[in-house]
Amino acid sequence: METFRDRGPWRRAARSLTVLTAAGTLLTAALLTCPGPEVAEASNHADSPLQILDPQMDVTDLYAFTSPDRQDTVTVIWNYIPFELPVVPLPYYRFATRGFYDLHFDSTGDGKPELTYRWWYRNGDGSGDPKAPPSKGYPAFGAQGAVADPRNDPYHGMGPASGSPGSAARLNPAARRTIIPQTYKLELIRPGQPAKVLLDDAPVAPWPLGLDYRRKFDEAIVPLPGGGKTFSGPVKDPFFFDFRMIALTRVGLSVAPPFDFIAPFNVHSIAIQVPKSELALNGDVRRNPVVGIWATSSRETVSLTPGERRFRQVSRQGLSMFGDSVNPAPLRDIYHASSPDQDRSNVALREAVRKPYASLLTAPGLLTIPPATPRLDFEQFFLTGIAKATGPIKIDLNSHVLNQDADRSRIVPAEMTRLNMTTPVTARPNRFGLIGGDLQGWPNGRRLTDDVTVAFVRLSTGEPLRRGSLLPTWVSPVLGPAKAIRDVFPYEAYPDIR
């Protein structure tokens, strides 16, 4: 039977759209990272040279919040492959198979994870790299580390299994030419312990083709042993911002039209929902409510040792707006290869936090005077967490010093998302988070509806410690994600397809 995608005109249109997509993606990346003032307000979409060249490993955004419908759990979402147009997918619109994706949790404040979840992806037709070995030991983040490649690993040489969730046989021939389904292995890693396999051959939601796509999307929401669930696949990109913020932070003036530049795009997402007791120090959420969170991705590198595979971390995402709005461009690739426990010895990074360039750049266009430096409030937002004992913002909010069982002598300045798991869910959220008086929002984690771009600009003018700009800069038609978020996990909207 002929499908709509077998027709000649469609094939020609698809080829044209593919070329236009590639060109548009490169143009967008150039816009967001071109030479000039070193502030690019697009969260972390293509924030460094290496990220532009490797979108499969580019962590664009990280969200962390108490699950609104299951408030004994935390949901963390982080996204990859920015600027996916909702047309025929390009070959890289899938998770990388020669590497892995990590999500880290730090409950002690030393910048090192007590818990890591690791995703290994493979292509369902056997292409790419089907050998995703189990982790051996605990790698040294920010440095090359060797991982053994056991011959008995179930991923070794695996092709499509007939009837399995990732089988290519489930797609018709026309769809198979365009997109190959994927599956993944999920591991749980604790320091000094062997990796524990939680899931194997779990399905990735496919590209949104076919009338039964939503069923396949929902089938990709997989329960975890011991509670919780996870999801991998394409979604509508939930990130949003008023394009005037780009102009403001690039040239110091709001000279652009007010529209959401990210609205047309999809993105690939990984989401996990975990019981709070799994993340809290000693399992006690009340005594130890704060957890630090960051995501990394690692690519395979060349190894000259037979039977050995080596990996290097190439991307990192902690608190939104840090990677491309605080961290100077020359430091970004170094940042992406490092871990939070190394931040305290990175003098240039800490200086960039204390003397943020964003304050100087935005002040003239907002008719404000930049706050005096050093900006200890910036340090609270991005390096120490906010507590009465850590700086001028006198709120006990999300610093590790609030964890009663944490050794204070080991707590270090480290860039990451910090979440207080006992902060009540706000009935009427303010999209500016703490800047708007809502303690549950950014930088206390980040919800899908938080407007981190405007909140960051307001922070740069001195809020919440002082009055910011008197101009009505925050009046905008862009009030949230381009497509309404859902009420159930993974909360992100279904991806668009045209």
Side-chain angles (χ1 to χ4, degrees), residues 68-90:
D69 55 333
R70 295 190 57 191
Q71 296 188 20
D72 61 336
T73 68
V74 165
T75 293
V76 183
I77 299 167
W78 66 113
N79 297 332
Y80 290 87
I81 316 175
F83 313 122
E84 293 183 4
L85 285 174
V87 293
V88 176
L90 295 178

Side-chain angles (χ1 to χ4, degrees), residues 31-44:
L31 170 67
L32 297 177
T33 58
C34 63
E38 294 176 346
V39 181
E41 295 295 332
S43 194
N44 275 26

Side-chain angles (χ1 to χ4, degrees), residues 175-345:
R176 191 182 303 121
R177 287 199 298 269
T178 303
I179 189 67
I180 298 171
Q182 292 189 301
T183 60
Y184 63 92
K185 172 191 290 183
L186 174 60
E187 295 177 330
L188 175 66
I189 306 172
R190 297 183 186 275
Q193 300 181 21
K196 177 182 179 181
V197 177
L198 299 180
L199 298 173
D200 199 357
D201 200 29
V204 174
W207 193 254
L209 298 172
L211 298 178
D212 61 344
Y213 172 72
R214 292 196 175 189
R215 175 182 62 81
K216 294 178 180 178
F217 183 100
D218 293 339
E219 287 177 351
I221 301 172
V222 184
L224 295 174
K229 58 188 73 173
T230 186
F231 167 85
S232 292
V235 299
K236 182 68 175 177
D237 195 340
F239 178 59
F240 64 97
F241 68 92
D242 188 327
F243 196 68
R244 291 177 301 173
M245 295 298 105
I246 284 280
L248 179 64
T249 56
R250 296 296 272 182
V251 299
L253 296 172
S254 300
V255 292
F259 72 98
D260 183 1
F261 180 79
I262 299 296
F265 301 110
N266 294 331
V267 73
H268 265 61
S269 185
I270 307 174
I272 190 169
Q273 191 174 85
V274 186
K276 291 179 176 179
S277 58
E278 184 78 4
L279 306 180
L281 180 62
N282 298 331
D284 192 332
V285 180
R286 288 295 165 189
R287 283 184 58 84
N288 307 294
V290 176
V291 62
I293 307 166
W294 69 98
T296 60
S297 48
S298 300
R299 275 284 191 189
E300 186 173 14
T301 62
V302 176
S303 174
L304 300 180
T305 304
E308 178 184 83
R309 303 182 71 196
R310 303 180 72 86
F311 298 87
R312 179 179 291 278
Q313 181 181 305
V314 296
S315 186
R316 168 184 162 192
Q317 170 78 310
L319 186 63
S320 299
M321 308 310 299
F322 177 82
D324 57 0
S325 300
V326 178
N327 198 22
L331 302 180
R332 290 175 190 167
D333 285 329
I334 297 173
Y335 163 82
H336 282 298
S338 67
S339 61
D341 69 305
Q342 298 170 318
D343 293 343
R344 58 177 170 172
S345 58

Side-chain angles (χ1 to χ4, degrees), residues 104 123 125 222 271 285 301 320 329 372 426 430 452 475 478:
H104 311 282
N123 294 330
D125 70 342
V222 184
V285 180
T301 62
S320 299
T426 306
N430 185 298
V452 294
V475 177
V478 182

Side-chain angles (χ1 to χ4, degrees), residues 69 83 127 254 271 309 347 368 388 441 448 457 463 485:
D69 55 333
F83 313 122
S127 66
S254 300
R309 303 182 71 196
V347 176
T368 63
K388 295 175 182 177
L448 292 167
V457 171
E463 295 188 56
I485 64 171

Side-chain angles (χ1 to χ4, degrees), residues 105-110 112-115 278-282 288 290-292 294 400 403 405-406 416 421:
F105 295 92
D106 172 18
S107 59
T108 62
D110 62 357
K112 301 177 181 180
E114 281 71 54
L115 180 66
E278 184 78 4
L279 306 180
L281 180 62
N282 298 331
N288 307 294
V290 176
V291 62
W294 69 98
H400 281 94
N403 288 349
D405 296 333
M416 62 182 73
M421 297 182 286

Side-chain angles (χ1 to χ4, degrees), residues 36 58 159 216 280 365 380 398 413 436:
D58 180 10
K216 294 178 180 178
Q380 285 182 288
N398 67 342

